[in-house]
Amino acid sequence: AQSVTQPDIHITVSEGASLELRCNYSYGATPYLFWYVQSPGQGLQLLLKYFSGDTLVQGIKGFEAEFKRSQSSFNLRKPSVHWSDAAEYFCAVVGGGATNKLIFGTGTLLAVQP
Amino acid sequence: NAGVTQTPKFRVLKTGQSMTLLCAQDMNHEYMYWYRQDPGMGLRLIHYSVGEGTTAKGEVPDGYNVSRLKKQNFLLGLESAAPSQTSVYFCASRGTGDSNQPQHFGDGTRLSIL
């Protein structure tokens, strides 16, 4: 069965520091992968997606993610974090079949300290 | 540019009461989904619909019912609310086509069952 693992429940970084959020997936075929961000009290906003081609994907707000098939990973990165990046981040994979259900990881809560 | 709209945004119920959550999308999307979000568990799929007049069970369907009488609306019902249904509920929609199309989320309904 498909699954997504986000090993880090909570991460704190200093403003201006680099960021990497980890995501590992389990899926038999070529996965369709997404990163969403959820600000407090808000819904989920799409940051970026991967479905084929270049393994380094650029998204909104200066985020990027790299798909590594050999490691079954799709880690999210940002070179310099801003205080407004404090939020919860979710990695997701399309579960397959006609319904295209999303399977979410449990999320990583990012705190940014001055 | 409304996208996905959920009503109400907040609600407090007593155990045993019933209510309906409404999700409306204006993007002419075929697929619609209801998720619940609980701390440390990410988003879990309750029910989904692949088109007007069709519904199907997701990962955690017990205690919920849904209807999709109109393409733009997807209703989630709680017939007899239980404290275990205290959660944040999110609706999402996506169009047909390739599986790499992202789901678009509403801002959520925060439901407390006393």
Side-chain angles (χ1 to χ4, degrees), chain A residues 32 34 36 38 40-44 46 49-51 88 90 94 97-102 104-107, chain B residues 31 33 35 37 40-43 45 48 50 57 90 94 97 99-108 110:
Chain A
Y32 295 134
F34 302 85
Y36 284 87
Q38 184 182 29
Q42 301 295 314
L44 278 73
L46 179 70
K49 65 180 182 181
Y50 170 80
F51 56 97
E88 190 158 20
F90 292 93
V94 173
T99 59
N100 295 299
K101 295 175 286 185
L102 278 177
F104 285 89
T106 52
Chain B
Y31 296 108
Y33 309 83
Y35 296 89
Q37 183 181 31
M41 304 191 74
L43 279 78
L45 184 65
Y48 62 95
V50 300
K57 294 180 180 180
F90 286 98
R94 72 178 290 278
S99 297
N100 63 72
Q101 288 193 43
Q103 293 183 16
H104 299 262
F105 285 82
D107 287 339
R110 285 145 186 83

Side-chain angles (χ1 to χ4, degrees), chain A residues 21-42:
Chain A
L21 302 182
R22 296 183 291 165
C23 172
N24 293 97
Y25 67 90
S26 172
Y27 190 72
T30 299
Y32 295 134
L33 295 158
F34 302 85
W35 274 100
Y36 284 87
V37 60
Q38 184 182 29
S39 298
Q42 301 295 314

Side-chain angles (χ1 to χ4, degrees), chain B residues 64-112:
Chain B
Y64 306 94
N65 56 75
V66 288
S67 64
R68 183 100 181 266
L69 299 179
K70 294 182 178 180
K71 185 177 183 179
Q72 63 268 34
N73 295 336
F74 194 31
L75 279 63
L76 178 70
L78 286 73
E79 291 187 347
S80 179
S84 61
Q85 294 177 304
T86 293
S87 188
V88 182
Y89 292 86
F90 286 98
C91 177
S93 71
R94 72 178 290 278
T96 54
D98 293 340
S99 297
N100 63 72
Q101 288 193 43
Q103 293 183 16
H104 299 262
F105 285 82
D107 287 339
T109 294
R110 285 145 186 83
L111 183 62
S112 293

Side-chain angles (χ1 to χ4, degrees), chain B residues 39-59:
Chain B
M41 304 191 74
L43 279 78
R44 293 180 292 168
L45 184 65
I46 304 172
H47 285 280
Y48 62 95
S49 168
V50 300
E52 182 179 318
T54 72
T55 63
K57 294 180 180 180
E59 181 185 358

